[in-house]
PDB file of all heavy atoms in Angstrom:
ATOM      1  N   ARG J   1     -34.279 -36.833  99.738  1.00  0.00           N
ATOM      2  CA  ARG J   1     -33.366 -36.377 100.782  1.00  0.00           C
ATOM      3  C   ARG J   1     -32.631 -35.092 100.417  1.00  0.00           C
ATOM      4  O   ARG J   1     -32.306 -34.289 101.282  1.00  0.00           O
ATOM      5  CB  ARG J   1     -32.356 -37.491 101.081  1.00  0.00           C
ATOM      6  CG  ARG J   1     -31.618 -37.292 102.400  1.00  0.00           C
ATOM      7  CD  ARG J   1     -31.065 -38.582 102.935  1.00  0.00           C
ATOM      8  NE  ARG J   1     -30.570 -38.437 104.294  1.00  0.00           N
ATOM      9  CZ  ARG J   1     -30.233 -39.461 105.076  1.00  0.00           C
ATOM     10  NH1 ARG J   1     -30.354 -40.688 104.618  1.00  0.00           N
ATOM     11  NH2 ARG J   1     -29.788 -39.254 106.294  1.00  0.00           N
ATOM     12  N   GLU J   2     -32.357 -34.862  99.146  1.00  0.00           N
ATOM     13  CA  GLU J   2     -31.584 -33.692  98.728  1.00  0.00           C
ATOM     14  C   GLU J   2     -32.441 -32.676  97.989  1.00  0.00           C
ATOM     15  O   GLU J   2     -31.937 -31.878  97.199  1.00  0.00           O
ATOM     16  CB  GLU J   2     -30.416 -34.138  97.835  1.00  0.00           C
ATOM     17  CG  GLU J   2     -29.453 -35.088  98.538  1.00  0.00           C
ATOM     18  CD  GLU J   2     -28.400 -35.647  97.590  1.00  0.00           C
ATOM     19  OE1 GLU J   2     -28.191 -35.043  96.512  1.00  0.00           O
ATOM     20  OE2 GLU J   2     -27.794 -36.683  97.919  1.00  0.00           O
ATOM     21  N   ASP J   3     -33.728 -32.677  98.283  1.00  0.00           N
ATOM     22  CA  ASP J   3     -34.665 -31.787  97.592  1.00  0.00           C
ATOM     23  C   ASP J   3     -34.401 -30.334  97.966  1.00  0.00           C
ATOM     24  O   ASP J   3     -34.453 -29.970  99.140  1.00  0.00           O
ATOM     25  CB  ASP J   3     -36.103 -32.176  97.947  1.00  0.00           C
ATOM     26  CG  ASP J   3     -37.118 -31.638  96.954  1.00  0.00           C
ATOM     27  OD1 ASP J   3     -36.872 -30.560  96.399  1.00  0.00           O
ATOM     28  OD2 ASP J   3     -38.148 -32.306  96.751  1.00  0.00           O
ATOM     29  N   HIS J   4     -34.128 -29.487  96.974  1.00  0.00           N
ATOM     30  CA  HIS J   4     -33.898 -28.069  97.214  1.00  0.00           C
ATOM     31  C   HIS J   4     -35.138 -27.235  96.957  1.00  0.00           C
ATOM     32  O   HIS J   4     -35.125 -26.024  97.153  1.00  0.00           O
ATOM     33  CB  HIS J   4     -32.753 -27.570  96.325  1.00  0.00           C
ATOM     34  CG  HIS J   4     -33.039 -27.686  94.858  1.00  0.00           C
ATOM     35  ND1 HIS J   4     -33.142 -28.907  94.220  1.00  0.00           N
ATOM     36  CD2 HIS J   4     -33.258 -26.746  93.901  1.00  0.00           C
ATOM     37  CE1 HIS J   4     -33.394 -28.705  92.946  1.00  0.00           C
ATOM     38  NE2 HIS J   4     -33.479 -27.407  92.721  1.00  0.00           N
ATOM     39  N   ILE J   5     -36.227 -27.865  96.522  1.00  0.00           N
ATOM     40  CA  ILE J   5     -37.481 -27.166  96.255  1.00  0.00           C
ATOM     41  C   ILE J   5     -38.516 -27.473  97.320  1.00  0.00           C
ATOM     42  O   ILE J   5     -39.216 -26.570  97.801  1.00  0.00           O
ATOM     43  CB  ILE J   5     -38.012 -27.552  94.860  1.00  0.00           C
ATOM     44  CG1 ILE J   5     -37.032 -27.062  93.781  1.00  0.00           C
ATOM     45  CG2 ILE J   5     -39.401 -26.974  94.615  1.00  0.00           C
ATOM     46  CD1 ILE J   5     -37.376 -27.523  92.390  1.00  0.00           C
ATOM     47  N   ALA J   6     -38.633 -28.729  97.709  1.00  0.00           N
ATOM     48  CA  ALA J   6     -39.559 -29.152  98.763  1.00  0.00           C
ATOM     49  C   ALA J   6     -38.759 -29.945  99.798  1.00  0.00           C
ATOM     50  O   ALA J   6     -38.650 -31.169  99.697  1.00  0.00           O
ATOM     51  CB  ALA J   6     -40.687 -30.007  98.179  1.00  0.00           C
ATOM     52  N   PRO J   7     -38.187 -29.277 100.805  1.00  0.00           N
ATOM     53  CA  PRO J   7     -37.343 -29.973 101.793  1.00  0.00           C
ATOM     54  C   PRO J   7     -38.104 -31.107 102.483  1.00  0.00           C
ATOM     55  O   PRO J   7     -39.278 -30.970 102.831  1.00  0.00           O
ATOM     56  CB  PRO J   7     -36.990 -28.848 102.788  1.00  0.00           C
ATOM     57  CG  PRO J   7     -37.134 -27.586 102.014  1.00  0.00           C
ATOM     58  CD  PRO J   7     -38.262 -27.822 101.059  1.00  0.00           C
ATOM     59  N   TRP J   8     -37.408 -32.214 102.682  1.00  0.00           N
ATOM     60  CA  TRP J   8     -38.109 -33.408 103.156  1.00  0.00           C
ATOM     61  C   TRP J   8     -38.667 -33.224 104.549  1.00  0.00           C
ATOM     62  O   TRP J   8     -39.740 -33.761 104.871  1.00  0.00           O
ATOM     63  CB  TRP J   8     -37.197 -34.639 103.070  1.00  0.00           C
ATOM     64  CG  TRP J   8     -36.167 -34.793 104.164  1.00  0.00           C
ATOM     65  CD1 TRP J   8     -34.868 -34.398 104.130  1.00  0.00           C
ATOM     66  CD2 TRP J   8     -36.360 -35.420 105.435  1.00  0.00           C
ATOM     67  NE1 TRP J   8     -34.230 -34.730 105.299  1.00  0.00           N
ATOM     68  CE2 TRP J   8     -35.119 -35.362 106.126  1.00  0.00           C
ATOM     69  CE3 TRP J   8     -37.435 -36.030 106.083  1.00  0.00           C
ATOM     70  CZ2 TRP J   8     -34.945 -35.879 107.410  1.00  0.00           C
ATOM     71  CZ3 TRP J   8     -37.260 -36.552 107.362  1.00  0.00           C
ATOM     72  CH2 TRP J   8     -36.035 -36.471 108.005  1.00  0.00           C
ATOM     73  N   ARG J   9     -37.987 -32.466 105.405  1.00  0.00           N
ATOM     74  CA  ARG J   9     -38.507 -32.244 106.754  1.00  0.00           C
ATOM     75  C   ARG J   9     -39.805 -31.439 106.715  1.00  0.00           C
ATOM     76  O   ARG J   9     -40.700 -31.657 107.531  1.00  0.00           O
ATOM     77  CB  ARG J   9     -37.452 -31.548 107.610  1.00  0.00           C
ATOM     78  CG  ARG J   9     -36.223 -32.417 107.888  1.00  0.00           C
ATOM     79  CD  ARG J   9     -35.104 -31.635 108.534  1.00  0.00           C
ATOM     80  NE  ARG J   9     -33.923 -32.463 108.772  1.00  0.00           N
ATOM     81  CZ  ARG J   9     -33.004 -32.728 107.843  1.00  0.00           C
ATOM     82  NH1 ARG J   9     -33.127 -32.203 106.624  1.00  0.00           N
ATOM     83  NH2 ARG J   9     -31.963 -33.504 108.120  1.00  0.00           N
ATOM     84  N   THR J  10     -39.903 -30.519 105.775  1.00  0.00           N
ATOM     85  CA  THR J  10     -41.133 -29.744 105.623  1.00  0.00           C
ATOM     86  C   THR J  10     -42.257 -30.626 105.112  1.00  0.00           C
ATOM     87  O   THR J  10     -43.412 -30.485 105.530  1.00  0.00           O
ATOM     88  CB  THR J  10     -40.883 -28.565 104.664  1.00  0.00           C
ATOM     89  OG1 THR J  10     -39.770 -27.804 105.133  1.00  0.00           O
ATOM     90  CG2 THR J  10     -42.096 -27.662 104.591  1.00  0.00           C
ATOM     91  N   ILE J  11     -41.944 -31.539 104.201  1.00  0.00           N
ATOM     92  CA  ILE J  11     -42.953 -32.491 103.728  1.00  0.00           C
ATOM     93  C   ILE J  11     -43.447 -33.350 104.884  1.00  0.00           C
ATOM     94  O   ILE J  11     -44.649 -33.652 104.998  1.00  0.00           O
ATOM     95  CB  ILE J  11     -42.366 -33.356 102.598  1.00  0.00           C
ATOM     96  CG1 ILE J  11     -42.062 -32.485 101.374  1.00  0.00           C
ATOM     97  CG2 ILE J  11     -43.310 -34.501 102.232  1.00  0.00           C
ATOM     98  CD1 ILE J  11     -41.376 -33.229 100.251  1.00  0.00           C
ATOM     99  N   TYR J  12     -42.532 -33.743 105.757  1.00  0.00           N
ATOM    100  CA  TYR J  12     -42.915 -34.542 106.927  1.00  0.00           C
ATOM    101  C   TYR J  12     -43.899 -33.775 107.798  1.00  0.00           C
ATOM    102  O   TYR J  12     -44.882 -34.344 108.298  1.00  0.00           O
ATOM    103  CB  TYR J  12     -41.662 -34.906 107.718  1.00  0.00           C
ATOM    104  CG  TYR J  12     -41.883 -35.967 108.783  1.00  0.00           C
ATOM    105  CD1 TYR J  12     -41.672 -37.313 108.490  1.00  0.00           C
ATOM    106  CD2 TYR J  12     -42.289 -35.629 110.072  1.00  0.00           C
ATOM    107  CE1 TYR J  12     -41.868 -38.288 109.451  1.00  0.00           C
ATOM    108  CE2 TYR J  12     -42.486 -36.592 111.042  1.00  0.00           C
ATOM    109  CZ  TYR J  12     -42.271 -37.926 110.723  1.00  0.00           C
ATOM    110  OH  TYR J  12     -42.472 -38.892 111.686  1.00  0.00           O
ATOM    111  N   ARG J  13     -43.659 -32.484 107.983  1.00  0.00           N
ATOM    112  CA  ARG J  13     -44.582 -31.663 108.773  1.00  0.00           C
ATOM    113  C   ARG J  13     -45.963 -31.645 108.128  1.00  0.00           C
ATOM    114  O   ARG J  13     -46.989 -31.727 108.810  1.00  0.00           O
ATOM    115  CB  ARG J  13     -44.050 -30.244 108.880  1.00  0.00           C
ATOM    116  CG  ARG J  13     -42.708 -30.105 109.580  1.00  0.00           C
ATOM    117  CD  ARG J  13     -42.800 -30.367 111.056  1.00  0.00           C
ATOM    118  NE  ARG J  13     -41.525 -30.082 111.727  1.00  0.00           N
ATOM    119  CZ  ARG J  13     -41.226 -30.489 112.948  1.00  0.00           C
ATOM    120  NH1 ARG J  13     -42.105 -31.212 113.642  1.00  0.00           N
ATOM    121  NH2 ARG J  13     -40.057 -30.187 113.491  1.00  0.00           N
ATOM    122  N   GLY J  14     -45.995 -31.493 106.818  1.00  0.00           N
ATOM    123  CA  GLY J  14     -47.274 -31.462 106.130  1.00  0.00           C
ATOM    124  C   GLY J  14     -48.035 -32.761 106.246  1.00  0.00           C
ATOM    125  O   GLY J  14     -49.270 -32.761 106.335  1.00  0.00           O
ATOM    126  N   MET J  15     -47.329 -33.877 106.229  1.00  0.00           N
ATOM    127  CA  MET J  15     -47.973 -35.175 106.400  1.00  0.00           C
ATOM    128  C   MET J  15     -48.763 -35.231 107.705  1.00  0.00           C
ATOM    129  O   MET J  15     -49.853 -35.813 107.780  1.00  0.00           O
ATOM    130  CB  MET J  15     -46.918 -36.280 106.381  1.00  0.00           C
ATOM    131  CG  MET J  15     -47.437 -37.654 106.719  1.00  0.00           C
ATOM    132  SD  MET J  15     -46.136 -38.780 107.294  1.00  0.00           S
ATOM    133  CE  MET J  15     -45.646 -37.987 108.826  1.00  0.00           C
ATOM    134  N   GLN J  16     -48.221 -34.610 108.748  1.00  0.00           N
ATOM    135  CA  GLN J  16     -48.850 -34.661 110.064  1.00  0.00           C
ATOM    136  C   GLN J  16     -50.164 -33.902 110.121  1.00  0.00           C
ATOM    137  O   GLN J  16     -50.930 -34.061 111.076  1.00  0.00           O
ATOM    138  CB  GLN J  16     -47.873 -34.121 111.113  1.00  0.00           C
ATOM    139  CG  GLN J  16     -46.633 -34.990 111.280  1.00  0.00           C
ATOM    140  CD  GLN J  16     -45.575 -34.345 112.170  1.00  0.00           C
ATOM    141  OE1 GLN J  16     -45.334 -33.139 112.089  1.00  0.00           O
ATOM    142  NE2 GLN J  16     -44.952 -35.140 113.021  1.00  0.00           N
ATOM    143  N   ALA J  17     -50.453 -33.086 109.101  1.00  0.00           N
ATOM    144  CA  ALA J  17     -51.696 -32.325 109.105  1.00  0.00           C
ATOM    145  C   ALA J  17     -52.899 -33.183 108.738  1.00  0.00           C
ATOM    146  O   ALA J  17     -54.034 -32.826 109.059  1.00  0.00           O
ATOM    147  CB  ALA J  17     -51.591 -31.142 108.140  1.00  0.00           C
ATOM    148  N   LEU J  18     -52.674 -34.311 108.046  1.00  0.00           N
ATOM    149  CA  LEU J  18     -53.774 -35.174 107.632  1.00  0.00           C
ATOM    150  C   LEU J  18     -54.235 -36.052 108.787  1.00  0.00           C
ATOM    151  O   LEU J  18     -53.485 -36.338 109.712  1.00  0.00           O
ATOM    152  CB  LEU J  18     -53.359 -36.036 106.448  1.00  0.00           C
ATOM    153  CG  LEU J  18     -52.935 -35.299 105.177  1.00  0.00           C
ATOM    154  CD1 LEU J  18     -52.721 -36.289 104.043  1.00  0.00           C
ATOM    155  CD2 LEU J  18     -53.950 -34.245 104.778  1.00  0.00           C
ATOM    156  N   GLY J  19     -55.484 -36.518 108.685  1.00  0.00           N
ATOM    157  CA  GLY J  19     -56.065 -37.229 109.810  1.00  0.00           C
ATOM    158  C   GLY J  19     -56.122 -38.733 109.688  1.00  0.00           C
ATOM    159  O   GLY J  19     -56.498 -39.416 110.647  1.00  0.00           O
ATOM    160  N   GLY J  20     -55.774 -39.299 108.550  1.00  0.00           N
ATOM    161  CA  GLY J  20     -55.930 -40.730 108.359  1.00  0.00           C
ATOM    162  C   GLY J  20     -54.639 -41.512 108.487  1.00  0.00           C
ATOM    163  O   GLY J  20     -53.621 -41.016 108.987  1.00  0.00           O
ATOM    164  N   GLU J  21     -54.666 -42.752 107.986  1.00  0.00           N
ATOM    165  CA  GLU J  21     -53.465 -43.598 107.962  1.00  0.00           C
ATOM    166  C   GLU J  21     -52.451 -43.004 106.997  1.00  0.00           C
ATOM    167  O   GLU J  21     -52.787 -42.584 105.886  1.00  0.00           O
ATOM    168  CB  GLU J  21     -53.868 -45.006 107.510  1.00  0.00           C
ATOM    169  CG  GLU J  21     -52.695 -45.916 107.192  1.00  0.00           C
ATOM    170  CD  GLU J  21     -53.089 -47.095 106.316  1.00  0.00           C
ATOM    171  OE1 GLU J  21     -54.251 -47.525 106.381  1.00  0.00           O
ATOM    172  OE2 GLU J  21     -52.220 -47.563 105.549  1.00  0.00           O
ATOM    173  N   ARG J  22     -51.182 -42.951 107.417  1.00  0.00           N
ATOM    174  CA  ARG J  22     -50.161 -42.322 106.592  1.00  0.00           C
ATOM    175  C   ARG J  22     -48.903 -43.179 106.550  1.00  0.00           C
ATOM    176  O   ARG J  22     -48.578 -43.848 107.509  1.00  0.00           O
ATOM    177  CB  ARG J  22     -49.804 -40.933 107.140  1.00  0.00           C
ATOM    178  CG  ARG J  22     -50.941 -39.915 107.089  1.00  0.00           C
ATOM    179  CD  ARG J  22     -50.792 -38.861 108.170  1.00  0.00           C
ATOM    180  NE  ARG J  22     -50.878 -39.455 109.495  1.00  0.00           N
ATOM    181  CZ  ARG J  22     -50.658 -38.789 110.630  1.00  0.00           C
ATOM    182  NH1 ARG J  22     -50.320 -37.517 110.584  1.00  0.00           N
ATOM    183  NH2 ARG J  22     -50.757 -39.400 111.789  1.00  0.00           N
ATOM    184  N   ARG J  23     -48.222 -43.100 105.422  1.00  0.00           N
ATOM    185  CA  ARG J  23     -46.927 -43.749 105.265  1.00  0.00           C
ATOM    186  C   ARG J  23     -45.967 -42.719 104.706  1.00  0.00           C
ATOM    187  O   ARG J  23     -46.281 -42.019 103.727  1.00  0.00           O
ATOM    188  CB  ARG J  23     -47.011 -44.958 104.347  1.00  0.00           C
ATOM    189  CG  ARG J  23     -45.650 -45.671 104.130  1.00  0.00           C
ATOM    190  CD  ARG J  23     -45.829 -47.005 103.419  1.00  0.00           C
ATOM    191  NE  ARG J  23     -44.564 -47.667 103.153  1.00  0.00           N
ATOM    192  CZ  ARG J  23     -43.858 -48.366 104.055  1.00  0.00           C
ATOM    193  NH1 ARG J  23     -44.307 -48.442 105.304  1.00  0.00           N
ATOM    194  NH2 ARG J  23     -42.728 -48.963 103.744  1.00  0.00           N
ATOM    195  N   PHE J  24     -44.779 -42.637 105.308  1.00  0.00           N
ATOM    196  CA  PHE J  24     -43.766 -41.677 104.859  1.00  0.00           C
ATOM    197  C   PHE J  24     -42.534 -42.440 104.408  1.00  0.00           C
ATOM    198  O   PHE J  24     -42.015 -43.303 105.122  1.00  0.00           O
ATOM    199  CB  PHE J  24     -43.401 -40.718 105.995  1.00  0.00           C
ATOM    200  CG  PHE J  24     -42.521 -39.577 105.561  1.00  0.00           C
ATOM    201  CD1 PHE J  24     -43.071 -38.419 105.044  1.00  0.00           C
ATOM    202  CD2 PHE J  24     -41.135 -39.671 105.655  1.00  0.00           C
ATOM    203  CE1 PHE J  24     -42.267 -37.360 104.636  1.00  0.00           C
ATOM    204  CE2 PHE J  24     -40.321 -38.634 105.246  1.00  0.00           C
ATOM    205  CZ  PHE J  24     -40.891 -37.470 104.739  1.00  0.00           C
ATOM    206  N   VAL J  25     -42.052 -42.121 103.211  1.00  0.00           N
ATOM    207  CA  VAL J  25     -40.882 -42.767 102.630  1.00  0.00           C
ATOM    208  C   VAL J  25     -39.933 -41.673 102.150  1.00  0.00           C
ATOM    209  O   VAL J  25     -40.363 -40.674 101.550  1.00  0.00           O
ATOM    210  CB  VAL J  25     -41.274 -43.696 101.460  1.00  0.00           C
ATOM    211  CG1 VAL J  25     -40.036 -44.273 100.784  1.00  0.00           C
ATOM    212  CG2 VAL J  25     -42.184 -44.811 101.956  1.00  0.00           C
ATOM    213  N   LEU J  26     -38.652 -41.866 102.397  1.00  0.00           N
ATOM    214  CA  LEU J  26     -37.631 -40.906 101.998  1.00  0.00           C
ATOM    215  C   LEU J  26     -36.736 -41.546 100.949  1.00  0.00           C
ATOM    216  O   LEU J  26     -36.102 -42.575 101.199  1.00  0.00           O
ATOM    217  CB  LEU J  26     -36.808 -40.470 103.203  1.00  0.00           C
ATOM    218  CG  LEU J  26     -35.736 -39.400 102.966  1.00  0.00           C
ATOM    219  CD1 LEU J  26     -36.368 -38.090 102.502  1.00  0.00           C
ATOM    220  CD2 LEU J  26     -34.911 -39.187 104.235  1.00  0.00           C
ATOM    221  N   SER J  27     -36.685 -40.931  99.772  1.00  0.00           N
ATOM    222  CA  SER J  27     -35.858 -41.449  98.681  1.00  0.00           C
ATOM    223  C   SER J  27     -34.539 -40.698  98.624  1.00  0.00           C
ATOM    224  O   SER J  27     -34.414 -39.577  99.126  1.00  0.00           O
ATOM    225  CB  SER J  27     -36.599 -41.292  97.347  1.00  0.00           C
ATOM    226  OG  SER J  27     -35.766 -41.643  96.258  1.00  0.00           O
ATOM    227  N   GLY J  28     -33.557 -41.316  97.998  1.00  0.00           N
ATOM    228  CA  GLY J  28     -32.314 -40.612  97.740  1.00  0.00           C
ATOM    229  C   GLY J  28     -32.479 -39.594  96.627  1.00  0.00           C
ATOM    230  O   GLY J  28     -33.532 -39.502  95.997  1.00  0.00           O
ATOM    231  N   ALA J  29     -31.429 -38.806  96.393  1.00  0.00           N
ATOM    232  CA  ALA J  29     -31.375 -37.811  95.319  1.00  0.00           C
ATOM    233  C   ALA J  29     -32.292 -36.629  95.606  1.00  0.00           C
ATOM    234  O   ALA J  29     -32.632 -36.358  96.760  1.00  0.00           O
ATOM    235  CB  ALA J  29     -31.668 -38.456  93.970  1.00  0.00           C
ATOM    236  N   GLY J  30     -32.693 -35.915  94.531  1.00  0.00           N
ATOM    237  CA  GLY J  30     -33.393 -34.653  94.698  1.00  0.00           C
ATOM    238  C   GLY J  30     -34.795 -34.657  94.136  1.00  0.00           C
ATOM    239  O   GLY J  30     -35.409 -35.695  93.922  1.00  0.00           O
ATOM    240  N   HIS J  31     -35.288 -33.439  93.866  1.00  0.00           N
ATOM    241  CA  HIS J  31     -36.690 -33.205  93.562  1.00  0.00           C
ATOM    242  C   HIS J  31     -37.162 -33.946  92.312  1.00  0.00           C
ATOM    243  O   HIS J  31     -38.335 -34.311  92.228  1.00  0.00           O
ATOM    244  CB  HIS J  31     -36.911 -31.696  93.380  1.00  0.00           C
ATOM    245  CG  HIS J  31     -38.343 -31.288  93.321  1.00  0.00           C
ATOM    246  ND1 HIS J  31     -39.156 -31.215  94.435  1.00  0.00           N
ATOM    247  CD2 HIS J  31     -39.114 -30.910  92.278  1.00  0.00           C
ATOM    248  CE1 HIS J  31     -40.351 -30.817  94.087  1.00  0.00           C
ATOM    249  NE2 HIS J  31     -40.368 -30.625  92.777  1.00  0.00           N
ATOM    250  N   VAL J  32     -36.283 -34.159  91.359  1.00  0.00           N
ATOM    251  CA  VAL J  32     -36.669 -34.838  90.126  1.00  0.00           C
ATOM    252  C   VAL J  32     -36.054 -36.228  90.044  1.00  0.00           C
ATOM    253  O   VAL J  32     -36.757 -37.215  89.858  1.00  0.00           O
ATOM    254  CB  VAL J  32     -36.269 -33.999  88.896  1.00  0.00           C
ATOM    255  CG1 VAL J  32     -36.604 -34.738  87.613  1.00  0.00           C
ATOM    256  CG2 VAL J  32     -36.972 -32.640  88.921  1.00  0.00           C
ATOM    257  N   ALA J  33     -34.726 -36.306  90.212  1.00  0.00           N
ATOM    258  CA  ALA J  33     -34.054 -37.602  90.067  1.00  0.00           C
ATOM    259  C   ALA J  33     -34.529 -38.605  91.115  1.00  0.00           C
ATOM    260  O   ALA J  33     -34.553 -39.815  90.858  1.00  0.00           O
ATOM    261  CB  ALA J  33     -32.543 -37.424  90.163  1.00  0.00           C
ATOM    262  N   GLY J  34     -34.904 -38.131  92.295  1.00  0.00           N
ATOM    263  CA  GLY J  34     -35.392 -39.033  93.326  1.00  0.00           C
ATOM    264  C   GLY J  34     -36.770 -39.572  93.034  1.00  0.00           C
ATOM    265  O   GLY J  34     -37.157 -40.628  93.546  1.00  0.00           O
ATOM    266  N   ILE J  35     -37.540 -38.856  92.196  1.00  0.00           N
ATOM    267  CA  ILE J  35     -38.876 -39.316  91.801  1.00  0.00           C
ATOM    268  C   ILE J  35     -38.772 -40.241  90.599  1.00  0.00           C
ATOM    269  O   ILE J  35     -39.349 -41.328  90.559  1.00  0.00           O
ATOM    270  CB  ILE J  35     -39.783 -38.111  91.473  1.00  0.00           C
ATOM    271  CG1 ILE J  35     -39.872 -37.163  92.682  1.00  0.00           C
ATOM    272  CG2 ILE J  35     -41.166 -38.578  91.050  1.00  0.00           C
ATOM    273  CD1 ILE J  35     -40.461 -37.783  93.914  1.00  0.00           C
ATOM    274  N   VAL J  36     -38.029 -39.817  89.588  1.00  0.00           N
ATOM    275  CA  VAL J  36     -37.865 -40.617  88.370  1.00  0.00           C
ATOM    276  C   VAL J  36     -36.727 -41.606  88.617  1.00  0.00           C
ATOM    277  O   VAL J  36     -35.608 -41.441  88.131  1.00  0.00           O
ATOM    278  CB  VAL J  36     -37.583 -39.706  87.163  1.00  0.00           C
ATOM    279  CG1 VAL J  36     -37.541 -40.527  85.882  1.00  0.00           C
ATOM    280  CG2 VAL J  36     -38.638 -38.615  87.054  1.00  0.00           C
ATOM    281  N   ASN J  37     -37.042 -42.643  89.378  1.00  0.00           N
ATOM    282  CA  ASN J  37     -36.030 -43.607  89.829  1.00  0.00           C
ATOM    283  C   ASN J  37     -36.604 -45.014  89.686  1.00  0.00           C
ATOM    284  O   ASN J  37     -37.029 -45.631  90.656  1.00  0.00           O
ATOM    285  CB  ASN J  37     -35.660 -43.313  91.292  1.00  0.00           C
ATOM    286  CG  ASN J  37     -34.586 -44.233  91.807  1.00  0.00           C
ATOM    287  OD1 ASN J  37     -33.719 -44.683  91.064  1.00  0.00           O
ATOM    288  ND2 ASN J  37     -34.643 -44.541  93.101  1.00  0.00           N
ATOM    289  N   PRO J  38     -36.662 -45.523  88.461  1.00  0.00           N
ATOM    290  CA  PRO J  38     -37.362 -46.778  88.209  1.00  0.00           C
ATOM    291  C   PRO J  38     -36.655 -47.989  88.791  1.00  0.00           C
ATOM    292  O   PRO J  38     -35.434 -47.978  88.999  1.00  0.00           O
ATOM    293  CB  PRO J  38     -37.392 -46.849  86.675  1.00  0.00           C
ATOM    294  CG  PRO J  38     -36.217 -46.049  86.244  1.00  0.00           C
ATOM    295  CD  PRO J  38     -36.094 -44.937  87.238  1.00  0.00           C
ATOM    296  N   PRO J  39     -37.416 -49.062  89.054  1.00  0.00           N
ATOM    297  CA  PRO J  39     -36.795 -50.306  89.508  1.00  0.00           C
ATOM    298  C   PRO J  39     -35.850 -50.852  88.440  1.00  0.00           C
ATOM    299  O   PRO J  39     -36.014 -50.611  87.246  1.00  0.00           O
ATOM    300  CB  PRO J  39     -38.002 -51.241  89.702  1.00  0.00           C
ATOM    301  CG  PRO J  39     -39.177 -50.334  89.850  1.00  0.00           C
ATOM    302  CD  PRO J  39     -38.881 -49.139  88.997  1.00  0.00           C
ATOM    303  N   GLY J  40     -34.848 -51.583  88.908  1.00  0.00           N
ATOM    304  CA  GLY J  40     -33.919 -52.213  87.978  1.00  0.00           C
ATOM    305  C   GLY J  40     -32.660 -51.425  87.747  1.00  0.00           C
ATOM    306  O   GLY J  40     -31.621 -51.983  87.402  1.00  0.00           O
ATOM    307  N   ILE J  41     -32.716 -50.102  87.928  1.00  0.00           N
ATOM    308  CA  ILE J  41     -31.518 -49.286  87.735  1.00  0.00           C
ATOM    309  C   ILE J  41     -30.641 -49.331  88.976  1.00  0.00           C
ATOM    310  O   ILE J  41     -29.415 -49.380  88.899  1.00  0.00           O
ATOM    311  CB  ILE J  41     -31.915 -47.838  87.381  1.00  0.00           C
ATOM    312  CG1 ILE J  41     -32.606 -47.807  86.021  1.00  0.00           C
ATOM    313  CG2 ILE J  41     -30.689 -46.927  87.388  1.00  0.00           C
ATOM    314  CD1 ILE J  41     -33.032 -46.428  85.572  1.00  0.00           C
ATOM    315  N   GLY J  42     -31.259 -49.318  90.146  1.00  0.00           N
ATOM    316  CA  GLY J  42     -30.512 -49.418  91.394  1.00  0.00           C
ATOM    317  C   GLY J  42     -29.667 -48.205  91.705  1.00  0.00           C
ATOM    318  O   GLY J  42     -28.665 -48.309  92.408  1.00  0.00           O
ATOM    319  N   LYS J  43     -30.066 -47.038  91.197  1.00  0.00           N
ATOM    320  CA  LYS J  43     -29.244 -45.852  91.389  1.00  0.00           C
ATOM    321  C   LYS J  43     -29.425 -45.258  92.777  1.00  0.00           C
ATOM    322  O   LYS J  43     -28.465 -44.872  93.435  1.00  0.00           O
ATOM    323  CB  LYS J  43     -29.582 -44.816  90.320  1.00  0.00           C
ATOM    324  CG  LYS J  43     -28.577 -43.668  90.236  1.00  0.00           C
ATOM    325  CD  LYS J  43     -28.812 -42.832  89.009  1.00  0.00           C
ATOM    326  CE  LYS J  43     -27.724 -41.764  88.866  1.00  0.00           C
ATOM    327  NZ  LYS J  43     -27.939 -40.927  87.660  1.00  0.00           N
ATOM    328  N   TYR J  44     -30.660 -45.136  93.236  1.00  0.00           N
ATOM    329  CA  TYR J  44     -30.946 -44.550  94.546  1.00  0.00           C
ATOM    330  C   TYR J  44     -31.833 -45.499  95.340  1.00  0.00           C
ATOM    331  O   TYR J  44     -32.782 -46.082  94.805  1.00  0.00           O
ATOM    332  CB  TYR J  44     -31.667 -43.201  94.402  1.00  0.00           C
ATOM    333  CG  TYR J  44     -30.974 -42.226  93.491  1.00  0.00           C
ATOM    334  CD1 TYR J  44     -31.555 -41.845  92.275  1.00  0.00           C
ATOM    335  CD2 TYR J  44     -29.747 -41.679  93.829  1.00  0.00           C
ATOM    336  CE1 TYR J  44     -30.919 -40.942  91.432  1.00  0.00           C
ATOM    337  CE2 TYR J  44     -29.102 -40.774  92.991  1.00  0.00           C
ATOM    338  CZ  TYR J  44     -29.699 -40.417  91.794  1.00  0.00           C
ATOM    339  OH  TYR J  44     -29.069 -39.528  90.956  1.00  0.00           O
TER     340      TYR J  44
END
């Protein structure tokens, strides 16, 4: 949600370019912390 490198709305647009089944999920935090967010910590 707070990505300053790959804005989430732009990622959503890119998803629409593919032709198959798609799932879109929005995580909290930013470009790195939102990805490295393991279960059990409950941070985001």
Side-chain angles (χ1 to χ4, degrees):
R1 196 158 190 169
E2 300 173 19
D3 199 328
H4 62 292
I5 296 173
W8 79 265
R9 293 170 181 83
T10 306
I11 294 175
Y12 192 93
R13 298 289 186 195
M15 173 202 65
Q16 295 172 320
L18 300 187
E21 169 200 332
R22 295 153 297 173
R23 179 170 178 79
F24 189 86
V25 175
L26 183 63
S27 173
H31 191 76
V32 177
I35 303 299
V36 185
N37 182 31
I41 294 180
K43 193 169 185 180
Y44 308 113

